[in-house]
Amino acid sequence: MRIIIINGPNLNLLGKREPTVYGNKTFEDYFSELQFRFKDVELEYYQSNIEGELISKLHEVGFDYDGIVLNAAAYTHTSVGLGDAVKAIETPVVEVHISNTHKREEFRHVSYISSGAKGVILGFGLKSYDLAIQSFL
């Protein structure tokens, strides 16, 4: 099984950015743990702060992979283009958020990704990624 995790803007700052919301661990360290935990899964990771690069990555992997775990971060709430890209590809997408976006600012309650996603997991910290990967197994 081949799964890619795609992270959007500012998630490259995990471990430094708002640790009370996002924790103290870098995503690279957490990704190593995921690779260890899911040894039978070919896991890849991609991160970009640029909306168009995220759309291009979805187009690139969206017909050949078994699953996509997408944390579009702030673009979740603003990008019709990312939402359209999720709907345009064949690979199922699970939308993930580290925080419970419904407990945060009201603009974070809207997702342009959800309507095209297989499912949505939010509010379980980095464990949200574990749950998303498990949903494909």
Side-chain angles (χ1 to χ4, degrees):
M1 177 159 284
R2 194 170 175 202
I3 297 172
I4 186 168
I5 295 170
I6 300 176
N7 276 345
N10 300 310
L11 292 171
N12 57 306
L13 296 178
L14 287 177
K16 298 175 188 170
R17 173 188 179 210
E18 298 179 81
T20 58
V21 175
Y22 299 105
N24 295 321
K25 190 175 290 189
T26 68
F27 195 82
E28 290 74 13
D29 288 343
Y30 185 67
F31 184 69
S32 294
E33 293 175 21
L34 288 174
Q35 288 176 307
F36 181 78
R37 237 185 327 279
F38 296 101
K39 291 178 185 167
D40 295 335
V41 177
E42 184 181 334
L43 280 178
E44 296 178 38
Y45 170 56
Y46 177 81
Q47 189 276 330
S48 178
N49 293 315
I50 301 169
E51 181 180 14
E53 289 179 1
L54 295 168
I55 292 169
S56 293
K57 182 54 88 171
L58 286 168
H59 292 176
E60 176 189 327
V61 302
F63 298 91
D64 299 324
Y65 284 59
D66 298 301
I68 298 169
V69 176
L70 174 62
N71 185 342
Y75 289 140
T76 300
H77 320 292
T78 62
S79 179
V80 173
L82 270 171
D84 287 347
V86 167
K87 290 176 185 172
I89 60 177
E90 294 175 359
T91 300
V93 173
V94 173
E95 176 185 346
V96 163
H97 298 282
I98 296 167
S99 68
N100 180 349
T101 57
H102 296 287
K103 290 179 90 174
R104 297 181 67 193
E105 304 93 337
E106 191 162 327
F107 74 88
R108 295 186 197 273
H109 301 180
V110 174
S111 169
Y112 289 101
I113 308 297
S114 297
S115 64
K118 168 188 171 187
V120 179
I121 300 170
L122 53 89
F124 293 96
L126 291 174
K127 282 280 190 195
S128 296
Y129 292 92
D130 287 71
L131 297 169
I133 292 167
Q134 289 175 28
S135 77
F136 291 112
L137 303 179

